[in-house]
Amino acid sequence: MNMRRAADAGFTLVEVMIALLIFGMIAAAGVAMLSFSIRAQSAVGDRLDDLGAVERLSSILGADLAQAVDRPTRDERGTLVPAFVGDATSLKLVRGGWSNIDAGARASLQKVEYRLDGDTIERIGYPMLDGAEAFPPGAMLGKVQAIALRYRFHGAWSDRWDGTQGAPLPQAVELAITRRDGIVLRQMFLTGTGYAVAPPGGNHAP
């Protein structure tokens, strides 16, 4: 009698299969939620990294342009190059305030260059102002489809600057970045804010 009651109290095959089905559905939902959470976390991380790269580019480019100085240089072949040269997709300038934390035998001025290589904006520094090969380029911002640089002087914009426009430096530079997703980022920077033409017998402003 007791064995029969115990058998009657067990689960039937249908009940076991239903339970397994419910458990499988719950497990599948859990895996889907975990997968979605991982993808969302990865997407958020990528987005934050990208925003950080945009801010870093803006900060470093802004600092370089603000400290631009009128100091022509010579390239590896000895050709004289104006202090500030730019076109629609690249620019090269000499900036002041180059940190020298290890007291190396070099000037506090540095020649730097910005260019678009493939889909990445790069910044290139030079160890010396004259006749030196560049350091390896540093990647600043990726996923870039195109860039457009413009240079402002006396209220007019131009897509080229070579120092023949009446001053060694433009008054401002505009950078427009078109990302691969179609978003356009546009920002304007003041150039050489410490630069001023000295009166006769005077000195340049610091």
Side-chain angles (χ1 to χ4, degrees):
M1 179 69 69
N2 291 335
M3 293 180 61
R4 182 177 298 175
R5 287 179 179 175
D8 292 341
F11 295 103
T12 66
L13 179 60
V14 174
E15 291 173 334
V16 172
M17 293 183 66
I18 293 174
L20 289 175
L21 177 62
I22 294 174
F23 176 78
M25 293 174 63
I26 294 174
V31 170
M33 292 179 62
L34 179 61
S35 177
F36 174 79
S37 176
I38 293 174
R39 290 198 303 270
Q41 184 177 6
S42 177
V44 170
D46 291 344
R47 182 59 176 167
L48 290 176
D49 290 343
D50 189 65
L51 289 174
V54 171
E55 290 296 326
R56 180 168 172 265
L57 171 63
S58 176
S59 176
I60 294 177
L61 177 58
D64 284 343
L65 290 171
Q67 298 190 68
V69 296
D70 178 18
R71 202 297 196 173
T73 62
R74 293 188 181 274
D75 62 18
E76 295 90 331
R77 298 182 299 274
T79 304
L80 188 65
V81 179
F84 194 109
V85 180
D87 55 28
T89 59
S90 66
L91 66 87
K92 185 182 294 186
L93 67 139
V94 176
R95 59 154 293 168
W98 188 18
S99 298
N100 194 359
I101 57 177
D102 51 359
R106 62 168 176 78
S108 62
L109 303 178
Q110 185 186 28
K111 182 166 59 176
V112 297
E113 181 179 356
Y114 287 85
R115 69 184 185 191
L116 180 64
D117 184 14
D119 66 349
T120 302
I121 297 177
E122 295 179 338
R123 181 184 187 269
I124 304 168
Y126 289 77
M128 294 185 295
L129 294 174
D130 299 308
E133 294 186 1
F135 289 128
M140 301 295 295
L141 182 64
K143 302 178 182 178
V144 176
Q145 179 177 326
I147 64 173
L149 287 157
R150 296 197 304 164
Y151 311 93
R152 184 177 177 87
F153 186 67
H154 286 174
W157 288 98
S158 173
D159 60 1
R160 180 173 296 275
W161 188 272
D162 57 12
T164 63
Q165 289 82 356
L169 306 175
Q171 295 168 327
V173 174
E174 181 191 70
L175 172 62
I177 303 173
T178 303
R179 308 301 303 275
R180 285 192 319 209
D181 56 9
I183 295 176
V184 178
L185 307 175
R186 193 181 304 272
Q187 190 166 3
M188 187 174 70
F189 306 89
L190 296 179
T191 304
T193 52
Y195 171 83
V197 176
N203 298 316
H204 288 289

